[in-house]
Amino acid sequence: MGDKPRRMVFIQSCGGNYGNIFSARFNYGATYLKNLFLFLGMDDFIRLPVDGTGMPDVGAECAVSRAISRIGTVLEDLV
């Protein structure tokens, strides 16, 4: 890939909603993958969470809608 920047977007759904403070503590998979891909040469690892899919007050449709609304920000980070 030469000197081209390497960025990765990781989209993950979760039944709960832990927020930014507890997300790193409870989300071992994302932390593991971030460290792995940064070690393999990725310059940036962007996580797009779809949180709250299993919560009755949020629901899957609302969680997906919130994630879709954040796609524009993620795309801006990629440029």
Side-chain angles (χ1 to χ4, degrees):
M1 295 177 87
D3 60 349
K4 294 180 182 178
R6 289 163 270 195
R7 296 180 181 100
M8 177 178 182
V9 177
F10 176 64
I11 302 171
Q12 177 186 17
S13 68
C14 179
N17 191 357
Y18 302 112
N20 291 333
I21 295 172
F22 296 110
S23 181
R25 281 203 151 293
F26 294 116
N27 195 353
Y28 300 113
T31 304
Y32 172 77
L33 287 174
K34 177 180 180 178
N35 291 331
L36 175 69
F37 282 101
L38 291 176
F39 174 76
L40 293 175
M42 288 291 167
D43 298 315
D44 199 9
F45 182 94
I46 301 166
R47 180 175 172 261
L48 178 61
V50 186
D51 293 336
T53 58
M55 298 177 66
D57 59 329
V58 177
E61 290 180 16
C62 182
V64 170
S65 293
R66 285 189 303 188
I68 288 171
S69 69
R70 287 183 245 154
I71 289 176
T73 305
V74 170
L75 292 176
E76 288 174 5
D77 289 344
L78 289 175
V79 176

